[in-house]
């Protein structure tokens, strides 16, 4: 059984950046957003690595990465991502700042997926970050699945085990730190990934070269995506409170570190 | 285009993949950015067709690769002020407003800072000169500073601009990539050149899936060999490829690379109401130590790039740039502007202050050198970015000439089209003037300043030019450095206590010498580790070997200065409480390269080198706003 795997993922500010929300003309934004170093959304990156791993094990499979984001920044980030695993890129040019409505993003992604030449829906696995592009609500992948008529949906996925008959077993995170194992009869399905089990692949210049032949044309062909937050009013935007206290301790046992962090959080 | 090959170096047993390109570049800084801008613009003829054909992919345009160590281009923090002649020539319609954090220079000041703390080392001569200077009308007692009423023409940057190198290289990189004619690959450290019979035939990428010692582990992926007819080396002052070529082929007779400096910089949000206008440029000297120079450049929207330079001729084993940076910011002349400001970004970088003194062979069979590693930095005008860009442009023009004519990248041809162009350029003419301008600092600060003035005002005809010592020869024993202020016995006690507790000796010595503890405000004045966290993020990709190693552990065990620890910009090198060399933590290394020349012990096999090796490493500091 081979798959047509579409991974949905865009860029986010590098996770350790200090972000500063500001009021922009089109609603909330991040200060100096286009200057902030960006990376592929780590959740989506996990999904991409899982997709590539699955495709490698299922000859005849194909992997697309569909991104809605500012194409100048995407181009920059793709030079790093492209060295990791083979994929074909589909780009919709638009904001990816975290204040876009999940429904808008899902609609743009659906339009992009529908436009992929040669995509066979009976082999379609829609991958993405579990909580990506939705401010943690997990809405985007669900809505995307609904728009595309894909009703088999799994969220918080850490593992996918394909069987020879086309079915597959999915391990999902559920409430209370537990896991749920399900068996799905087969594609099409939506899988919103948590972290998966794969390490970040090493940079492979040959993979990069191979990807780049398709990435640059994809960036040049990028169409504008009609995404935003029209009709949405943000009452307030603020960052979670942060307390910083640095202490350097060498070779402390993990249990001690955990205990100290818990005490520190409790205050 | 790919094949399996066996390496030719110390690890011949490892089968490696190889890939062919036409041109491979190492490092994406201003020099390679200038090269690729020029090359990609000229590769397409008026008919829209490539002016030359790839030899490795016939029928296509030449395959041009650039490999950059950092996880993205322009990741280091670096504010610069430049006249921007070469950059403007490449972009005649350049509008600084199009580049984030750029602005035309609007005013320049040079200020001498007196020591309001009484903690710094000042020679008798300097103290006498300061006493005289305090009687001048420009002396401001409250600010403990004296603004020079006149700035020598060679130091002026007007009509130039201040800009963030990170933002600029990102802006240029996007344009180059957009042409589709060159590929810039970040996150790809280059380990070494491939040298055969004196010819450079490409580069070897760093091994992945190895342990700290470089030994294969699970997921081992030997670094690929990328062969190319031309290797363009622009990997900066501490880049492993340039230094390996120098090691293999030597430097031209009479050249040496002995003058260095560490630039430690911060991007700061100035407090509300700060009167500094965008485009203001301030240079300082005199404090926190007479040898340490400082700068402050003001960008739009109340943002400033500021920092200090700690040179290799600073005769001190206590070379903690971070603490000195904080004392410098707290100087009354600067603190009036900075108090209430917020650290937005932070970083550090080694500067090749040897300039033309250390110019390597600029071209050879299959390779050419551009930028800082080629000795292009002008140490008189304090300018390096524009010069680096210019050398890239000159090589780009030369390479286009060879490509159009279908000629080989031999030493003779590259000397004809690149080196000769460079010799005729303003970069060369000004580098010749500047070559000996800083040699006077070998004798002392006053002599150095006099030497610079002589050189600058005489157009290079008059110089103070003593012999230049090797960096390790400039580092005195700690006891000697402390003499008259801390008894030898107490120095020994401090050393033993710090080693046992894994503490930094330099902080203990500075405390004892009268430098006050820096009171952290949590915004601008923060701990060293907080600067790493607040100012950016160290990227250290898994599966790479340690790029900092100590060559002779016996020498480290006997070392009493431990300058590598005090000078380490990220506190990545720390005291080893047990016997053995200092400890190195790759996940804190900002890749500034200071350890390469801040070592008091020479390499037993090479007196020009130190006992620290600095190799190819992945990542480095990814500054917040670069």
């Amino acid at each position: 059984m081979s798959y047509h795997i579409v991974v949905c993922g865009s860029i986010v500010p590098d996770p350790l950046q200090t972000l500063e929300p500001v009021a922009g003309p089109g609603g909330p934004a991040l200060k100096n957003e286009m200057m902030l170093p960006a990376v592929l959304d780590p959740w989506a990156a996990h999904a991409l690595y899982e997709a590539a791993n699955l495709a490698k094990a299922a000859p005849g499979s194909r992997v697309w990465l569909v991104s809605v984001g500012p194409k100048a920044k995407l181009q920059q980030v793709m030079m790093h991502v492209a060295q990791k695993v083979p994929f074909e890129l589909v780009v919709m040019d638009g904001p990816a700042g975290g204040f876009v409505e999940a429904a808008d993003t899902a609609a743009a992604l659906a339009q992009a997926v529908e436009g992929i030449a040669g995509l066979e829906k009976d082999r379609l696995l829609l991958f993405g970050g579990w909580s990506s592009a939705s401010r943690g609500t997990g809405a985007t992948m669900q809505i995307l699945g609904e728009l595309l008529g894909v009703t088999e949906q799994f969220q918080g996925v850490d593992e996918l085990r394909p069987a020879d008959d086309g079915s597959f077993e999915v391990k999902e995170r559920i409430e209370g730190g537990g896991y749920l194992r399900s068996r799905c009869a087969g594609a099409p399905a939506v899988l919103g990934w948590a972290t998966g089990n794969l390490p970040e692949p090493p940079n492979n210049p040959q993979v990069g070269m191979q990807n780049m032949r398709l990435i640059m044309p994809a960036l040049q062909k990028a169409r504008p995506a009609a995404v935003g937050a029209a009709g949405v009013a943000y009452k307030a935007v603020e960052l979670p409170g942060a307390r910083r206290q640095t202490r350097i301790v060498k070779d402390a046992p993990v249990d001690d570190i955990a205990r100290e962090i818990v005490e520190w959080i409790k205050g | 285009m790919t094949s399996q090959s066996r390496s030719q170096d110390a690890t011949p047993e490892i089968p490696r993949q190889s890939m062919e390109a036409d041109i491979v570049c190492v490092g994406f800084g201003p020099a390679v950015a200038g090269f690729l801008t020029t090359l990609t613009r000229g590769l397409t003829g008026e008919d829209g067709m490539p002016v030359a054909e790839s030899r490795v992919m016939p029928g296509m345009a030449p395959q041009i690769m650039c490999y950059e160590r950092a996880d993205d281009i322009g990741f280091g923090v670096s504010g610069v002020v430049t006249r921007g002649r070469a950059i403007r020539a490449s972009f005649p319609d350049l509008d600084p407003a199009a580049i984030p954090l750029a602005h035309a220079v609007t005013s320049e000041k040079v200020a001498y800072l007196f020591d309001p703390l009484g903690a710094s080392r000042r020679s008798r001569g300097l103290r006498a000169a300061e006493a005289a200077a305090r009687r001048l009308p420009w002396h401001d007692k409250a600010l403990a500073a004296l603004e020079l009423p006149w700035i020598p023409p060679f130091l002026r940057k007007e009509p130039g601009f201040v800009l963030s190198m990170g933002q600029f290289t990102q802006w240029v990189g996007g344009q180059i990539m957009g042409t589709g004619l060159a590929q810039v690959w970040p996150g790809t450290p280059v380990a070494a050149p491939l040298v055969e019979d004196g010819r450079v035939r490409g580069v070897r990428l760093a091994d992945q899936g190895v342990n700290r010692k470089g030994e294969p582990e699970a997921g081992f992926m030997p670094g690929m060999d990328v062969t190319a007819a031309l290797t363009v080396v622009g990997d900066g002052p501490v880049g492993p490829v340039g230094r390996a070529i120098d090691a293999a082929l030597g430097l031209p007779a009479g050249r040496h690379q002995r003058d260095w400096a560490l630039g430690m910089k911060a991007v700061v949000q100035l407090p509300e109401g700060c009167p500094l206008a965008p485009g203001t440029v301030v240079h300082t000297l005199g404090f926190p130590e007479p040898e340490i120079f400082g700068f402050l450049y003001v960008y739009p929207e109340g943002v400033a790039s500021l920092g200090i330079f700690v040179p290799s001729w600073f005769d001190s084993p206590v070379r903690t740039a971070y603490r000195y940076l904080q004392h410098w910011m707290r100087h009354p002349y600067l603190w009036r502007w900075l108090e209430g400001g917020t650290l937005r970004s932070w970083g550090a970088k080694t500067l090749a202050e040897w300039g033309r003194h250390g110019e390597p062979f600029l071209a050879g069979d299959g390779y050419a050198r551009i930028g800082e590693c080629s000795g292009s930095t002008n140490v008189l005008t304090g300018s390096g970015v524009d010069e680096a860009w210019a050398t890239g442009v000159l090589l780009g023009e030369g390479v286009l000439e060879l490509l159009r004519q279908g000629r080989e990248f031999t030493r003779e041809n590259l000397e004809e089209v690149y080196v000769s162009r460079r010799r005729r350029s303003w970069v060369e003419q000004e580098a010749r003037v500047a070559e000996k301008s800083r040699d006077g600092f070998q004798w002392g600060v006053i002599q150095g300043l006099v030497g610079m003035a002589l050189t600058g005002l005489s157009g290079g005809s008059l110089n103070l030019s003593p012999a230049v010592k090797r960096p390790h020869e400039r580092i005195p024993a700690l006891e000697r450095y402390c003499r008259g202020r801390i008894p030898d016995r107490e120095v020994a006690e401090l050393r033993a206590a710090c080693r046992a507790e894994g503490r930094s000796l330099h902080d203990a010595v500075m405390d004892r010498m009268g430098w006050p503890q820096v009171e952290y405000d949590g915004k601008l004045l923060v701990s060293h580790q907080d600067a790493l966290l607040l100012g950016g993020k160290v990227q250290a990709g898994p599966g790479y070997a340690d790029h900092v190693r100590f060559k002779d552990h016996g020498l480290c065990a006997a070392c009493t200065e431990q300058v590598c620890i005090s000078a380490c910009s990220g506190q990545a090198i720390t005291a080893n409480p047990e016997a053995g060399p200092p400890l190195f933590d790759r996940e804190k290394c900002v890749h500034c390269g200071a350890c390469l020349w801040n070592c008091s012990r020479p390499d037993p096999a090479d007196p020009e080198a130190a006992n620290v090796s600095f190799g190819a490493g992945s990542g480095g500091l990814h500054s917040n706003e670069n």
Side-chain angles (χ1 to χ4, degrees):
Chain A
M1 177 68 188
S2 61
Y3 300 100
H4 280 186
I5 310 170
V6 175
V7 182
C8 302
S10 188
I11 57 172
V12 295
D14 194 304
L16 284 188
Q17 299 300 306
T18 305
L19 305 180
E20 188 178 341
V22 292
L30 293 175
K31 188 168 184 178
N32 298 323
E33 187 169 338
M34 288 305 286
M35 284 167 50
L36 292 170
V39 295
L40 183 64
D41 167 15
W43 303 92
H46 290 304
L48 179 63
Y49 306 151
E50 293 284 350
N53 192 50
L54 179 60
K56 194 175 173 184
S61 298
R62 291 175 71 179
V63 177
W64 290 268
L65 175 62
V66 179
S67 287
V68 179
K71 69 176 183 179
K73 272 287 187 196
L74 271 172
Q75 175 183 298
Q76 212 171 318
V77 172
M78 283 306 135
M79 294 309 291
H80 187 65
V81 177
Q83 298 184 73
K84 299 293 182 185
V85 293
F87 62 86
E88 299 168 50
L89 183 68
V90 178
V91 179
M92 300 281 277
D93 189 15
F99 298 103
V100 175
E101 269 301 282
D104 282 8
T105 305
L109 289 170
Q111 187 189 353
V113 173
E114 296 279 15
I116 295 175
L119 181 71
E120 297 173 19
K121 272 199 174 175
D122 58 343
R123 293 203 281 164
L124 173 64
L125 294 180
L126 272 171
F127 279 23
W130 173 23
S131 297
S132 296
S134 63
R135 290 186 296 284
T137 63
T140 304
M141 290 304 293
Q142 287 188 38
I143 300 171
L144 172 61
E146 289 162 15
L147 291 172
L148 293 174
V150 181
T151 53
E152 300 295 343
Q153 298 209 359
F154 304 90
Q155 295 293 341
V157 177
D158 266 341
E159 191 176 319
L160 183 152
R161 284 188 186 172
D164 292 340
D165 62 357
S167 67
F168 50 83
E169 185 182 290
V170 180
K171 183 181 168 189
E172 287 173 281
R173 294 184 186 182
I174 56 173
E175 297 293 329
Y179 284 99
L180 173 68
R181 286 190 183 274
S182 311
R183 180 165 292 281
C184 180
V190 171
L191 292 102
W193 283 85
T195 57
N197 292 311
L198 298 174
E200 182 175 329
N203 289 348
N204 187 324
Q206 283 184 332
V207 170
M209 289 282 289
Q210 179 188 328
N211 281 337
M212 200 43 62
R213 287 177 199 144
L214 300 171
I215 285 176
M216 292 310 290
L219 285 161
Q220 284 159 1
K221 285 192 296 191
R223 291 182 184 169
V227 296
V232 178
Y234 285 84
K235 287 189 174 176
V237 175
E238 60 185 25
L239 296 173
R243 262 197 313 150
R244 185 182 292 276
Q245 188 178 339
T246 307
R247 191 158 60 88
I248 309 298
V249 181
K250 291 185 184 298
D251 304 325
V254 172
D255 289 344
D256 289 356
I257 296 171
R259 195 176 306 113
E260 189 174 334
I261 291 173
V262 168
E263 287 167 7
W264 186 79
I265 291 171
K266 285 179 177 174
Chain B
M1 191 160 157
T2 62
S3 62
Q4 296 276 326
S5 69
R6 286 190 173 272
S7 67
Q8 305 292 313
D9 70 354
T11 52
E13 74 284 1
I14 301 175
R16 291 177 187 271
Q17 288 193 313
S18 69
M19 187 169 75
E20 291 179 305
D22 291 287
I23 297 173
V24 61
C25 307
V26 186
F28 189 80
V32 172
F35 170 70
L36 291 177
T37 296
T38 308
L39 186 62
T40 53
R41 283 178 179 177
L43 266 181
T44 306
E46 289 180 359
D47 57 357
M49 300 299 291
V51 298
E53 186 181 2
S54 168
R55 294 193 179 184
V56 299
M57 296 186 75
M60 298 186 70
Q63 300 296 294
I64 303 163
M65 305 290 150
C66 175
Y67 294 109
E68 163 61 37
R69 153 188 66 79
D71 276 10
D72 207 340
I73 56 178
F75 261 16
V77 63
S78 187
V80 297
V81 58
T82 176
R83 289 179 187 160
R85 286 170 287 178
I87 292 172
R88 283 183 198 274
S90 293
F91 302 103
D93 301 323
L94 180 71
D95 175 10
I99 309 169
L101 296 182
H103 199 281
V105 173
T106 53
S107 71
E108 292 180 81
K109 302 174 195 291
V110 176
Y112 184 87
L113 306 182
F114 297 94
D115 178 2
L117 303 171
S120 67
R121 299 150 43 264
R122 282 164 141 74
S123 65
R124 280 184 194 167
L126 188 59
R127 284 201 295 269
E130 285 188 347
R134 282 193 174 94
R135 288 196 285 273
L136 294 171
W138 311 291
H139 172 228
D140 187 321
K141 192 175 177 183
L143 297 178
L146 183 153
E147 279 185 7
L148 302 191
W150 172 76
I151 302 174
F154 60 85
L155 284 181
R156 297 196 75 91
K157 295 294 187 294
E158 289 177 278
F161 41 88
V162 294
L163 82 164
S164 151
M165 272 313 299
Q167 293 300 322
F168 179 68
T169 48
Q170 283 185 33
W171 179 75
V172 175
Q175 300 199 20
I176 291 168
M177 289 293 299
T179 66
L181 292 169
Q183 298 179 9
V184 184
W185 292 106
T188 312
V190 177
L194 299 170
V195 184
E196 277 182 6
D197 301 326
R199 177 183 178 82
V200 175
R201 62 175 191 88
V203 296
R204 171 163 298 167
L205 306 182
D207 291 345
Q208 296 178 73
V210 295
N211 64 17
R212 294 183 57 188
K213 293 178 179 173
E215 298 161 343
E217 289 194 322
F220 177 55
M221 193 169 98
M224 184 182 289
D225 287 348
V226 183
T227 58
L230 175 65
T231 299
V232 176
V233 184
D235 60 351
V238 297
V241 176
R243 288 189 296 110
I245 290 176
D246 291 341
L249 307 179
L251 290 176
R255 301 276 177 218
H256 58 75
Q257 299 178 346
R258 296 176 178 175
D259 277 337
W260 305 83
L262 179 82
M264 184 170 281
K265 312 179 179 188
V267 176
V268 172
Q269 181 72 50
L270 296 169
E272 289 279 332
C274 177
L276 293 173
T280 301
V281 172
V282 181
H283 284 107
T284 73
L285 66 159
F287 185 83
E289 294 283 0
E291 295 89 344
I292 296 176
F293 296 175
F295 68 90
L296 186 151
Y297 310 142
V298 184
Y299 298 141
E301 298 184 20
V303 177
S305 176
L306 52 87
I308 58 169
F309 298 105
V310 180
S312 56
W313 43 267
F314 177 31
D315 291 338
S316 163
V318 182
R319 291 182 175 182
T320 164
Y322 187 74
R323 184 160 175 184
Y324 278 129
L325 174 66
Q326 292 182 313
H327 288 304
W328 177 79
M329 288 193 290
R330 288 284 284 115
H331 190 282
Y333 180 79
L334 298 159
W335 195 240
R336 62 181 164 145
W337 296 321
L338 301 177
E339 186 174 13
T342 305
L343 181 73
R344 285 168 56 144
S345 190
W346 169 87
K349 175 191 180 301
T350 280
L351 302 163
E353 297 266 302
W354 24 269
R356 198 170 181 280
H357 264 321
E359 183 187 279
F361 292 109
L362 295 177
D365 288 329
Y367 80 95
R369 307 281 294 268
I370 54 176
E372 197 174 3
C373 73
S374 74
S376 62
T377 299
N378 189 306
V379 294
L380 176 63
T381 59
S383 178
V385 169
D386 203 32
E387 285 75 4
W389 180 277
T391 61
V393 170
L394 294 168
L395 178 63
E397 292 168 350
V399 167
L400 280 170
E401 192 175 322
L402 293 181
L403 285 172
R404 285 193 202 103
Q405 296 167 359
R407 294 163 67 193
E408 304 288 331
F409 295 113
T410 61
R411 180 175 61 80
E412 292 77 12
N413 289 347
L414 287 164
E415 285 186 345
E416 178 193 324
V417 300
Y418 166 52
V419 180
S420 63
R421 266 187 171 85
R422 183 158 163 175
R423 297 292 180 230
R424 295 192 302 270
S425 71
W426 61 266
V427 176
E428 173 78 6
Q429 288 159 18
E430 295 183 8
R432 284 182 182 278
V433 171
E435 184 168 356
K436 296 174 180 173
S437 63
R438 290 210 183 184
D439 292 0
F441 286 109
Q442 295 291 317
W443 281 332
V445 174
I446 294 177
Q447 297 91 326
L449 294 173
V450 169
M452 277 188 76
L454 271 179
T455 302
L457 297 175
S458 71
S461 303
L462 299 173
N463 301 286
L464 293 184
S465 191
V468 178
K469 289 182 181 175
R470 300 174 178 110
H472 61 81
E473 293 170 339
R474 298 221 63 110
I475 301 172
L478 189 59
E479 281 77 1
R480 194 177 134 210
Y481 174 75
C482 295
R483 198 149 294 156
R485 301 180 85 169
I486 311 176
D488 288 2
R489 177 184 50 76
E490 196 179 336
V491 170
E493 288 171 1
L494 279 175
R495 181 182 291 122
C498 287
R499 184 179 280 260
E501 296 164 20
R503 281 195 297 133
S504 304
L505 181 58
H506 57 269
D507 266 334
V509 170
M510 285 184 72
D511 290 347
R512 178 64 181 77
M513 282 194 156
W515 288 96
Q517 290 284 337
V518 176
E519 290 185 21
Y520 298 142
D521 59 13
K523 291 173 63 184
L524 180 57
L525 301 175
V526 296
S527 74
H528 201 155
Q529 285 306 301
D530 272 349
L532 253 76
L533 295 167
L534 287 170
K537 176 180 121 182
V538 174
Q539 305 269 14
Y544 287 94
D546 279 354
H547 53 278
V548 171
R549 300 194 194 182
F550 302 93
K551 297 174 185 171
D552 184 330
H553 293 187
L555 284 177
C556 292
C559 176
T560 52
E561 290 77 41
Q562 301 180 332
V563 192
C564 59
I565 295 171
S566 69
C568 180
S569 298
Q571 291 183 316
I573 301 176
T574 51
N576 188 345
E578 298 167 6
L583 305 173
F584 174 65
D585 184 348
R586 195 163 66 87
E587 296 189 358
K588 290 183 190 166
C589 179
V590 302
H591 287 246
C592 71
C595 50
L596 185 68
W597 51 272
N598 278 290
C599 174
S600 59
R601 298 291 189 270
D603 180 341
D606 177 7
E608 289 292 332
N611 194 39
V612 179
S613 69
F614 190 88
S618 148
L621 183 71
H622 171 166
S623 296
N624 277 353
E625 289 173 73
N626 27 18

